[in-house]
Amino acid sequence: MASPYGSNMSLSNQKHPTNERQENRKSQPSEEEAFYSTCRAAYLTVFKSSLDNITSREQLCLVLQLAGRNPTNKILTKYWTARTKELHFDDFCTIMKREKPAAKTELLKAFKKIDPDNKGYIFHDDLSRILTGNGEKMSQEEVRAVLRLADINSNGRLEYNKFCNKFFEICDQCTKTAADRMDSDNKAKRQQFGSQIQKSPERSASPSAKQSPRNSRLSEGDTTPRKAESKSSRPSSARSYKASVSTMFTMAAVNGKNSKLAEPNNLQGWNFTNSKGCFFLEENGDVISHRYKMQIPQKTTVFLKIKPYNLSKVEGKPSSWMSVDTALFILKESDGRADPQLVSFTESRYKETFTLKGELGPGVYHMIPFTTGCRLRKKRKQTTKDAQLVYRDRNEDLILTPEFKSVLSDMFDIIDLDGNGYLSLEEYNFFELRTSGEKCDEDAWEVCKENFETSKNELTKQGFLELNLMEANDREGDPSDLWVTLQSMGYNKTLELTEACPFLIEAYAEKCKPKLQAVSLESSTKQLQKVVCRSVILKGDAKSAEGYEDVAFYTYMNDTRISSVIENKSNSKVVVQVNNEQSKNCISSRGLDVFAVEVPPKATMVTTLVFVLF
């Protein structure tokens, strides 16, 4: 690519033939697919299309009930404020994820608080007094409706075990009825559903204006300011709905091919530096990672690599996260520009390694690691017994279990960014920021060095183990704080690293020594969205929407991923239906092959990130 910012990075566009649609889809839906199926079924029981909006508090209550929820007035008020005008299907999905269905054990526990003798029933007079006088008060008519249920009431008493059974039976029946209705309606089954970009309707005058961090990766590529502060709660969808257009965009299938790793012939003689880092998956699905600065003292050819970092000691059995896709975006600081400007990004791939080669001029470059989220995503939480972290020996001294020591050893390797076998204060502080949100100052570091094994003012692996054992001793064997550390670092209750992906960056320069340094650990969502949009528009194939010359589609494809961007230059919102069903050997970051997105006027948006499998 002949970059406008002084880089001669070589970037290529590849065309891929369209293949026939894959006939045999997965027979068993994933947990996410099942969740959205429940949401769609409930939504289409009330509305004709998932592109229709919820326009009243009553509609919100009804559609939540049909999805198996039992929204209280407090919950409804939480999401339908005095200034809320409407909610999208995406907002509804967000609410569904936040408001989990009530558990039978919790409901029984509430009843047993007012039945201390455990008789199994409550007199109607007592129940009526409690329901109309405490907490979220019910009206007399609502109480009478409960008491009229003959199969759970007798002799002036409510048998609450039967009531709980009836309650959950009705919830399940609501969900089943909605699903059956959608299954029996072929037209509903073919509906193109909402974008599922999670937005935050909670306490928001504009539910569409405030998006959750998780899905900002897919929607914050908008380079045009949105008028979110308008008095109307949804200016783009409410005021310009009639002026919107809808079009179908089908992404062609691709076949991922494993190219050879093209290294420069004399690479071993080049100047070299490297650094480790890690992608961490947040509770809301957002991804944060280390960010870097690379200093180049003179013009030179560089060769950059990024790949997942393998911690497995077993030959032939790599770490589970080695399949996570990675990329590097290179930005350059420029005088007179507020933000660093895109120079290039990794395109070539060989197995798990992603590379780029090109020429860089002297200066400071920002390096932002990136993953599409196709492979690094929330896993289903299984109920299992917590792994044991510590135990007491015959002398009643606390000892770290071998399994926990092994995990701590791997954790040390992850946070030892320069790979020298020791933790500097800077490296340790990235760990502290991730696990506690605070930095360790110089005085605290001196205390640390006095109490734990160090070498040349840096913490050894043994010292790191001692530090964690001290933490267990401080809590008299209670592992709670240790679990906070483990889960912050991406480990689950069985000590598996499931919500993080360590990576390794290698930088080679032909004529000078590059300096690579981790400078922060943060989410780069907004900046990455702008960068991804810019890279796709610069290098992708452009296609105008038929009949709408102000709407352009840009698709960038290589053997690593497919990225799709929509640029809406018109003054109206555009509803775009995206169909990836013809793509084979791919995983979408959205988890669905067919969906719809709404692009505000004068906006640019990333619609699809697809990772190509081997």
Side-chain angles (χ1 to χ4, degrees):
M1 176 178 71
S3 168
Y5 306 111
S7 171
N8 294 321
M9 294 294 180
S10 176
L11 306 177
S12 63
N13 288 318
Q14 299 184 18
K15 306 290 192 301
H16 301 273
T18 301
N19 297 319
E20 294 182 359
R21 177 179 176 177
Q22 192 171 11
E23 294 181 358
N24 296 324
R25 312 299 291 181
K26 293 181 181 179
S27 58
Q28 295 296 327
S30 67
E31 183 180 20
E32 187 176 21
E33 289 171 340
F35 168 77
Y36 282 120
S37 179
T38 299
C39 293
R40 293 195 292 265
Y43 210 82
L44 293 179
T45 302
V46 179
F47 304 102
K48 292 182 179 180
S49 165
S50 66
L51 297 178
D52 292 342
N53 299 326
I54 300 171
T55 57
S56 70
R57 177 189 174 104
E58 291 72 22
Q59 285 182 342
L60 176 60
C61 179
L62 177 59
V63 75
L64 284 171
Q65 289 173 336
L66 289 168
R69 303 298 192 266
N70 183 43
T72 62
N73 285 327
K74 182 178 180 180
I75 289 175
L76 293 174
T77 302
K78 179 180 179 181
Y79 297 107
W80 194 272
T81 70
R83 297 178 61 190
T84 304
K85 301 300 180 183
E86 59 187 25
L87 298 173
H88 286 334
F89 174 71
D90 299 330
D91 301 324
F92 169 65
C93 292
T94 300
I95 295 170
M96 284 283 290
K97 283 189 174 182
R98 291 180 177 177
E99 305 301 332
K100 305 300 182 184
K104 186 176 180 179
T105 54
E106 294 176 356
L107 191 55
L108 282 171
K109 184 178 179 181
F111 274 115
K112 288 179 179 179
K113 284 184 179 180
I114 53 179
D115 178 27
D117 298 330
N118 201 24
K119 300 186 296 293
Y121 62 82
I122 301 171
F123 286 109
H124 287 176
D125 290 344
D126 294 336
L127 182 65
S128 178
R129 184 176 64 257
I130 292 170
L131 294 181
T132 58
N134 296 336
E136 188 168 328
K137 301 178 181 62
M138 295 175 62
S139 67
Q140 289 290 348
E141 181 55 37
E142 288 173 329
V143 174
R144 284 193 289 270
V146 174
L147 302 183
R148 281 197 295 267
L149 297 174
D151 51 352
I152 62 173
N153 291 281
S154 62
N155 300 320
R157 303 180 301 193
L158 178 136
E159 298 181 41
Y160 56 78
N161 281 289
K162 290 184 178 180
F163 173 83
C164 290
N165 291 335
K166 186 72 173 178
F167 173 81
F168 287 100
E169 178 185 329
I170 293 173
C171 287
D172 291 341
Q173 186 59 44
C174 285
T175 305
K176 185 177 184 301
T177 299
D180 289 345
R181 176 171 176 174
M182 188 176 74
D183 288 341
S184 64
D185 187 344
N186 290 329
K187 182 179 179 180
K189 288 170 69 176
R190 292 195 298 269
Q191 285 282 353
Q192 310 304 320
F193 299 107
S195 65
Q196 280 132 32
I197 298 176
Q198 289 190 6
K199 300 164 187 172
S200 178
E202 180 179 354
R203 298 292 182 190
S204 175
S206 174
S208 64
K210 184 181 178 182
Q211 300 175 355
S212 74
R214 172 175 183 171
N215 285 286
S216 55
R217 285 179 301 171
L218 301 179
S219 61
E220 290 177 0
D222 186 353
T223 57
T224 303
R226 303 183 187 181
K227 299 178 182 179
E229 298 180 357
S230 171
K231 294 181 180 179
S232 170
S233 76
R234 279 190 183 276
S236 63
S237 55
R239 292 202 297 269
S240 60
Y241 186 83
K242 292 182 179 180
S244 67
V245 297
S246 179
T247 185
M248 175 66 74
F249 175 52
T250 301
M251 182 170 288
V254 298
N255 292 316
K257 294 183 179 179
N258 211 16
S259 59
K260 294 182 179 180
L261 181 59
E263 292 185 346
N265 294 329
N266 58 340
L267 188 63
Q268 297 303 318
W270 288 23
N271 298 283
F272 168 76
T273 187
N274 67 355
S275 180
K276 286 180 277 189
C278 195
F279 295 112
F280 294 104
L281 190 59
E282 298 283 71
E283 185 62 31
N284 60 9
D286 195 12
V287 176
I288 72 170
S289 73
H290 293 86
R291 292 180 57 167
Y292 304 82
K293 282 189 177 182
M294 181 173 66
Q295 187 170 356
I296 301 292
Q298 68 181 79
K299 186 176 181 180
T300 182
T301 301
V302 299
F303 184 68
L304 304 178
K305 297 182 185 179
I306 182 171
K307 63 180 179 180
Y309 181 62
N310 186 23
L311 289 171
S312 175
K313 308 299 189 296
V314 181
E315 187 175 354
K317 189 178 180 181
S319 301
S320 60
W321 55 86
M322 295 302 289
S323 61
V324 172
D325 62 291
T326 59
L328 268 180
F329 283 92
I330 315 301
L331 293 78
K332 189 177 189 302
E333 292 184 353
S334 302
D335 295 337
R337 293 182 181 271
D339 298 319
Q341 301 300 303
L342 174 65
V343 171
S344 190
F345 56 95
T346 53
E347 290 190 287
S348 301
R349 176 181 76 174
Y350 176 70
K351 296 183 178 180
E352 69 274 4
T353 303
F354 298 78
T355 68
L356 72 87
K357 177 187 175 184
E359 192 172 78
L360 293 179
V364 177
Y365 294 84
H366 294 249
M367 300 175 67
I368 307 178
F370 171 74
T371 182
T372 61
C374 297
R375 284 291 182 85
L376 183 62
R377 57 177 61 187
K378 302 295 288 186
K379 301 292 192 301
R380 179 182 300 180
K381 293 184 178 180
Q382 298 178 343
T383 302
T384 182
K385 184 179 179 181
D386 293 0
Q388 187 176 1
L389 305 183
V390 295
Y391 67 93
R392 293 193 180 276
D393 63 10
R394 294 179 180 179
N395 298 322
E396 291 299 308
D397 293 328
L398 276 177
I399 306 294
L400 302 177
T401 64
E403 295 80 9
F404 185 38
K405 287 180 68 174
S406 177
V407 167
L408 288 175
S409 177
D410 287 346
M411 193 183 298
F412 183 92
D413 288 342
I414 293 172
I415 60 180
D416 176 20
L417 300 183
D418 61 10
N420 70 345
Y422 305 98
L423 294 183
S424 65
L425 176 58
E426 292 75 17
E427 291 171 328
Y428 182 75
N429 270 334
F430 283 126
F431 168 74
E432 280 293 307
L433 284 171
R434 179 62 193 163
T435 56
S436 69
E438 298 178 352
K439 283 187 175 183
C440 174
D441 58 26
E442 293 285 351
D443 292 338
W445 187 244
E446 290 299 321
V447 173
C448 183
K449 291 191 294 183
E450 291 173 4
N451 289 276
F452 308 112
E453 183 180 282
T454 59
S455 176
K456 298 179 181 179
N457 294 322
E458 296 188 326
L459 190 66
T460 66
K461 183 175 291 188
Q462 179 59 35
F464 184 67
L465 296 176
E466 293 169 356
L467 189 152
N468 281 273
L469 180 58
M470 183 205 70
E471 190 169 340
N473 276 301
D474 287 346
R475 296 294 298 270
E476 297 183 350
D478 182 354
S480 300
D481 287 349
L482 298 177
W483 277 117
V484 170
T485 296
L486 286 165
Q487 291 177 313
S488 297
M489 292 296 293
Y491 288 87
N492 63 15
K493 292 293 187 177
T494 60
L495 300 182
E496 298 173 315
L497 187 63
T498 58
E499 296 186 356
C501 173
F503 57 78
L504 176 66
I505 297 174
E506 298 179 353
Y508 299 82
E510 184 178 22
K511 297 179 180 180
C512 58
K513 177 71 173 178
K515 183 179 179 181
L516 180 63
Q517 182 180 9
V519 293
S520 64
L521 178 62
E522 61 183 293
S523 171
S524 302
T525 299
K526 290 184 178 181
Q527 190 170 21
L528 275 171
Q529 285 310 296
K530 292 181 180 179
V531 167
V532 171
C533 282
R534 178 67 177 164
S535 66
V536 173
I537 290 175
L538 282 174
K539 294 301 299 176
D541 292 331
K543 175 183 176 183
S544 296
E546 186 175 353
Y548 303 100
E549 57 184 23
D550 288 334
V551 179
F553 301 99
Y554 298 88
T555 304
Y556 171 74
M557 296 183 287
N558 60 16
D559 62 356
T560 302
R561 69 177 185 273
I562 311 168
S563 303
S564 175
V565 167
I566 298 176
E567 184 178 24
N568 179 17
K569 300 177 183 178
S570 71
N571 294 318
S572 302
K573 79 164 189 179
V574 179
V575 177
V576 181
Q577 296 178 0
V578 181
N579 188 328
N580 294 332
E581 288 183 315
Q582 294 184 17
S583 295
K584 296 183 178 181
N585 304 322
C586 298
I587 300 177
S588 170
S589 59
R590 290 178 178 267
L592 292 174
D593 291 331
V594 181
F595 53 90
V597 293
E598 181 182 297
V599 187
K602 305 294 184 182
T604 305
M605 179 182 292
V606 177
T607 59
T608 311
L609 294 172
V610 175
F611 176 57
V612 182
L613 302 174
F614 295 105

